[in-house]
């Protein structure tokens, strides 16, 4: 293989051999459910029902969220493309007082597991004893450190308490493993063992006191596994966090990796290497304690955001999350997992707050796709587009090997000049990956043409002229893709999803800003192109199609075998509003200005501050019934049936007072009408940190990091009926501080203290339910 670059033109000869797919160390570590569904592994990817599978894992800590909303949040995760849920079991949350276990309310592990099972969401349980998760003592209770043994070791005293913990967890998981018909497919023992500890907050005197990272290597993990199985926890497989040369058992344990670019633990962090192309299966990013060629490259902790701390307050944008995912897929990761996918709030302990020092006492929003109170973030839509792609094309992508052009290995994170791109391929077919995002560096727009020579012929992007890869953008483009007999030589549009409608394949792509949509198709594979708008031309042995992007347009192709294929080319904005659901008895593409999820066969549409919502369906349903409080109207947009939903705007009675400097109180009418799903308080303030209280308890807190503070009140509505929401700011100081000791510590500050509420806004979240029936005959 080789590549040459002249100006904006790249020419590459793809002559790599196909990836060797064989049995690996994880092969045989799967199993079957009573329904006959199965998981297993090769050396390169996971299989589901004996087919290659690239799952999307979303981390959601049940104990950090209100249990009455667990089901709704799990359904939002499922709608967002999560196919496996992961969750920690924090020991100190459940046994803060020695011998007193609590599995009730927000700590009800069994209820959470049952909800995952109800909604067919497989689950990986991360059971510790050490978890970290930015929890006090890494999740270990304070009382544990009063005993004369070494934690995280094979010390018999420590193992006694580890076994007691595991026995309690096993009771909660009884009958819940996949082979028994439950959702639990895997268990993680320990976390970052032999790699990292956590602040020992039980010590209480200095920030520099850390819990040991461990000393017994694989033998300790082997012992923990023996204990887990002895008390009844027998999952199909175990997982281990494997970065930083952490210990990984050789058999039955899937090593999992992490990718973070905005890292508070690295002072003055330089641009990271997370957005560069490399073959992770052949050459992991860092040293690991296992033979990478024997296991799939799997990520359990791609940064879905980052938690701010008092000393480091990074902002993680949606571009970074999308770009990192695309780069890791290009690099051979065949499992992508997000930490966090869903944020939350630490419970308040009986003796102390349960946060790790220097972090907020309660909030663990993490800037994640779904936030502390269920806030839907911009990265939620980005991840969903990639999850839809993996659901539709993961079976095709998973066996494809990485081909990284030689010049890519020399690119450094600071390099803004060279184009970053890579390929995954099998037998001359595959996907082109491009990235123009780098943390802490501004990347320029790029006008490029890429010429890819494979055993199946030449693919040009675009066929004539150039296309633009805009700053912050990453993309996945197909080459030599056989789509039900239609041979796509190249396309400047990104695959989104595909599904069958009335025995006809519908393939959905979307056009990136700066890239004119183009399909170049092998002329011998098609006999007719039916398209009302756009251009079609036959040039030699190629049919070149330039469609109009947008859901109002589509085209139909007849293959040489007489098969009809419908192609929809969405705009980028439409793709970010798109979902794939089976609803109303059919697989459908749904595009909406609102956010969607399905519960009890009902499509639920939620929207913040917009009492009017638009929902478009393909195939269009024969009939749609909306919630009785909503007014709906119907229209036709191309092949989509579009429904406009209108609910009555609501303005709750709100009283905001400022009883003293740096403080505010808010009283709110809680008799919300049925169209109101939640009420959000958006607080624009200046200051250092802030806190919110209701009655005698703290609701949450906030470390200022440049973004507005968002509070969802649905969980606290019952308290707000009688009590005010109290907000307080600790001001930030700008000036100089002198300190000295005169019997006691004395601090004198010269300067200004800034603490100010700029604006407190009430934002209504509306909800409408839709019941769909049948498919309209004119679809």
């Amino acid at each position: 293989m080789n590549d040459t670059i002249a100006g904006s033109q790249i020419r590459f000869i793809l002559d790599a051999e196909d990836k060797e797919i064989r049995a690996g160390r994880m092969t045989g570590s799967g199993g079957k459910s009573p329904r006959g569904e199965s998981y297993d592994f090769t050396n390169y990817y996971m299989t589901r029902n004996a087919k290659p599978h690239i799952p999307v894992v979303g981390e959601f800590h049940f104990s950090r969220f209100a249990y009455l909303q667990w089901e709704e949040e799990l359904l939002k995760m499922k709608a967002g493309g999560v196919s496996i849920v992961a969750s920690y079991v924090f020991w100190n949350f459940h046994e803060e007082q020695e011998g007193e276990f609590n599995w009730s309310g927000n700590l009800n592990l069994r209820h959470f597991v049952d909800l995952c099972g109800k909604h067919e969401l497989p689950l990986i349980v991360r059971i510790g004893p050490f978890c970290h998760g930015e929890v006090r003592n890494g999740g270990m209770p304070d009382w544990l450190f009063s005993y004369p043994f070494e934690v995280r070791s094979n010390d018999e005293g420590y193992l006694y308490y580890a076994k007691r913990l595991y026995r309690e967890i096993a009771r909660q998981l009884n009958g819940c493993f996949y082979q028994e018909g439950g959702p639990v497919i895997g268990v993680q023992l320990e976390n970052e063992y032999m790699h990292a500890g956590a602040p020992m907050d039980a010590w209480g005197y200095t920030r520099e006191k850390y819990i040991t990272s461990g000393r017994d290597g694989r033998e300790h993990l082997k012992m923990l596994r023996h204990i887990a199985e002895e008390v009844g926890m027998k999952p199909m497989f175990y997982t281990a966090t494997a970065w930083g040369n952490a210990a990984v058992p050789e058999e039955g344990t899937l090593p999992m990796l992490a990718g973070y670019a905005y890292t508070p633990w690295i002072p003055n962090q330089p641009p990271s290497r997370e957005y560069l192309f490399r073959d992770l299966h052949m050459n992991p990013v860092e040293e690991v304690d296992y033979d990478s060629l024997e296991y799939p490259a799997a990520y359990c902790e791609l940064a879905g955001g980052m938690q701010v701390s008092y000393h480091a307050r990074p902002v993680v944008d949606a571009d970074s999350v999308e770009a990192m995912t695309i780069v890791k897929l290009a690099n051979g990761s065949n499992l992508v997992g997000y930490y966090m996918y869903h944020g939350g709030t630490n419970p308040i302990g009986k003796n102390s707050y349960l946060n790790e020092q220097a972090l907020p006492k309660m909030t663990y929003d993490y800037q994640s796709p779904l936030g502390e109170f269920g806030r839907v973030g911009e990265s939620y839509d980005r991840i969903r587009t990639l999850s839809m792609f993996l659901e539709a094309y993961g079976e095709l992508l998973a066996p494809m090997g990485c081909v990284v052009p030689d010049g890519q290995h020399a690119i450094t994170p600071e390099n803004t000049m060279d184009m970053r791109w890579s390929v995954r391929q099998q037998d001359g077919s595959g996907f082109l990956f491009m990235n123009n995002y780098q943390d802490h560096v501004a990347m320029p727009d790029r006008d490029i043409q890429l010429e890819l020579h494979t055993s199946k012929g030449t693919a040009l992007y675009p066929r004539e002229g150039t296309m633009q890869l805009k700053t912050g953008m990453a993309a996945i483009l197909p080459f030599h893709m056989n789509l039900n007999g239609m041979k796509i030589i190249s396309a400047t549009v990104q695959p989104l999803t595909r599904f069958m409608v009335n025995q006809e394949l519908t393939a959905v792509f979307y056009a990136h800003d700066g890239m004119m949509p183009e399909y170049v198709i092998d002329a011998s594979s098609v006999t007719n192109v039916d398209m009302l708008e756009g251009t079609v031309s036959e040039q030699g042995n190629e049919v070149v199609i330039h469609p109009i992007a947008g859901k109002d347009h589509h085209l139909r192709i007849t293959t040489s075998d007489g098969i009809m294929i419908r192609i929809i080319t969405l705009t980028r904005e439409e793709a970010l509003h798109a979902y794939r659901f089976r609803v109303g008895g059919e697989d459908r593409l749904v595009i909406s200005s609102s956010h969607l999820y399905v519960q009890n066969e009902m499509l639920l549409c939620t929207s913040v501050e917009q009492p009017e919502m638009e929902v478009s369906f393909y195939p269009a349903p024969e009939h749609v019934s909306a919630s009785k409080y909503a007014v709906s109207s119907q229209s036709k947009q191309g092949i989509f049936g579009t429904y406009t939903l209108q609910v009555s705007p609501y303005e709750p009675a709100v009283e905001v007072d400022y009883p003293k400097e740096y403080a505010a109180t808010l009283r709110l009418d809680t008799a919300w009408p049925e169209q109101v799903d939640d009420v959000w308080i958006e607080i624009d303030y200046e200051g250092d940190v802030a806190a919110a209280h209701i009655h005698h308890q703290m609701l949450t807190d906030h470390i200022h990091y440049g973004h507005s503070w968002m509070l969802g009140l649905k969980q606290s509505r019952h308290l707000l009926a009688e009590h005010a929401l109290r907000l307080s700011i600790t001001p930030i100081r700008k000036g100089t501080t002198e300190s000295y000791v005169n019997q006691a510590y004395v601090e004198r500050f010269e300067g200004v203290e800034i603490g100010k509420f700029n604006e407190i806004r009430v934002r209504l979240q509306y909800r409408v339910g839709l019941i769909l029936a049948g498919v309209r005959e004119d679809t």
Side-chain angles (χ1 to χ4, degrees), residues 695-714:
H695 193 30
H696 61 268
Q697 66 187 49
M698 184 186 285
L699 174 64
T700 190
D701 56 347
H702 187 262
I703 292 177
H704 197 284
Y705 67 104
H707 284 213
S708 294
W709 183 21
M710 296 290 293
L711 300 177
L713 300 182
K714 178 161 58 176

Side-chain angles (χ1 to χ4, degrees), residues 320-519:
S320 71
V321 177
E322 182 178 21
M324 189 182 294
T325 305
I326 287 174
V327 169
K328 299 309 180 188
L329 287 172
N331 291 354
S333 176
N334 277 331
L335 182 153
V336 291
Y338 295 96
Y339 189 102
M340 296 292 294
Y341 187 90
H342 201 308
T345 311
N346 290 324
I348 299 175
K350 294 181 179 179
N351 301 320
S352 66
Y353 291 102
L354 295 173
N355 63 302
E356 181 180 294
Q357 59 188 241
L359 270 74
K361 294 182 176 72
M362 294 190 68
T363 184
Y364 199 67
D365 179 82
Y366 214 85
Q367 306 174 53
S368 50
L370 294 175
E372 179 179 14
F373 298 101
R375 164 197 53 77
V376 179
E378 188 181 350
S379 58
Y380 177 81
D381 297 329
R382 308 294 188 91
I383 291 171
R384 189 179 62 256
T385 63
L386 297 172
S387 300
M388 291 168 68
F389 164 70
L390 293 176
E391 181 186 23
Y393 294 97
E395 182 180 343
L396 187 64
L397 176 64
M400 292 180 173
C402 303
V403 182
V404 183
D406 291 338
Q408 294 296 309
H409 296 107
I411 294 177
T412 63
E414 297 80 6
N415 183 325
T416 62
M417 298 297 295
D418 293 317
M419 169 73 180
R420 303 179 186 189
W421 67 283
S422 190
V423 166
R424 283 185 69 171
Q425 75 89 38
Q426 186 178 49
D427 192 25
S429 301
F431 296 94
L432 166 67
F433 297 82
M434 300 181 293
N435 174 43
N436 200 26
Y437 179 90
Q438 175 65 55
D439 64 285
H440 301 89
V441 173
M443 304 293 279
D445 293 344
R446 302 180 189 280
D447 293 314
I448 57 171
Q449 184 188 58
L450 195 145
E451 183 178 332
L452 189 61
H453 297 266
T454 85
S455 59
K456 283 186 162 60
T458 300
L460 285 170
Y461 299 92
R463 195 178 187 282
E464 295 181 358
T466 62
M467 61 185 183
Q468 188 173 78
L469 191 66
K470 289 187 173 294
T471 179
M473 175 180 151
I476 306 172
L477 307 180
F479 62 89
H480 295 298
M481 174 191 284
N482 190 325
L483 203 60
N484 279 30
M486 179 184 69
K487 298 177 182 178
I488 299 177
I489 297 171
S490 66
T492 61
V493 289
Q494 183 157 321
L496 182 65
T497 188
R498 58 177 173 172
F499 56 102
M500 301 299 293
V501 178
N502 297 328
Q503 299 183 336
E504 176 184 281
L505 176 68
T506 295
V508 186
F509 299 80
Y510 73 87
H512 285 282
D513 297 338
M515 294 186 182
M516 183 174 71
E518 175 183 86
Y519 301 88

Side-chain angles (χ1 to χ4, degrees), residues 519-574:
Y519 301 88
V520 180
I521 299 172
D522 185 336
S524 67
S525 70
V526 299
T527 59
N528 185 59
V529 177
D530 183 11
M531 184 173 67
L532 295 178
E533 297 176 276
T535 64
V536 181
S537 63
E538 190 163 343
Q539 303 180 28
N541 62 351
E542 298 174 343
V543 176
V544 182
I545 304 170
H546 292 111
I548 304 298
K551 68 177 187 294
D552 296 352
H553 313 279
H554 71 282
L555 61 97
R556 295 180 78 181
I557 290 178
T558 307
T559 72
S560 300
D561 297 327
I563 297 172
M564 300 294 294
I565 300 174
R566 190 187 302 265
I567 295 179
I568 301 171
T569 309
L570 301 178
T571 64
R572 162 80 165 170
E573 182 179 4
E574 288 171 340

Side-chain angles (χ1 to χ4, degrees), residues 1 103 122 183 193 205 275 278 311 349 414 571 619 658 662 749:
M1 73 190 80
W103 300 100
Y193 191 67
Y205 301 108
Y275 302 96
R278 64 190 297 143
H311 304 288
E414 297 80 6
T571 64
Y658 300 92
Y662 313 140
F749 170 72

Side-chain angles (χ1 to χ4, degrees), residues 32-109:
K32 285 188 176 182
S33 73
R35 294 189 298 182
E37 297 176 338
S38 66
Y39 285 96
D40 206 342
F41 298 88
T42 70
N43 70 317
Y44 195 50
Y45 53 79
M46 175 185 276
T47 65
R48 185 170 188 185
N49 299 329
K51 295 180 178 179
H53 178 54
I54 303 180
V56 175
V57 182
E59 188 92 10
F60 177 27
H61 299 156
F62 65 95
S63 54
R64 282 171 153 161
F65 207 84
Y67 75 97
L68 293 176
Q69 275 77 55
W70 282 346
E71 184 167 27
E72 177 184 341
E73 299 309 303
L74 286 169
L75 290 171
K76 285 160 64 176
M77 291 176 68
K78 189 172 184 177
V82 169
S83 52
I84 298 174
V85 176
S87 193
Y88 274 133
V89 180
F90 294 116
W91 187 357
N92 56 353
F93 285 14
H94 297 279
E95 194 190 4
E96 188 180 5
Q97 304 287 342
E98 183 177 357
E100 298 177 12
F101 280 93
N102 183 0
W103 300 100
S104 63
N106 296 350
L107 303 178
N108 192 335
L109 170 61

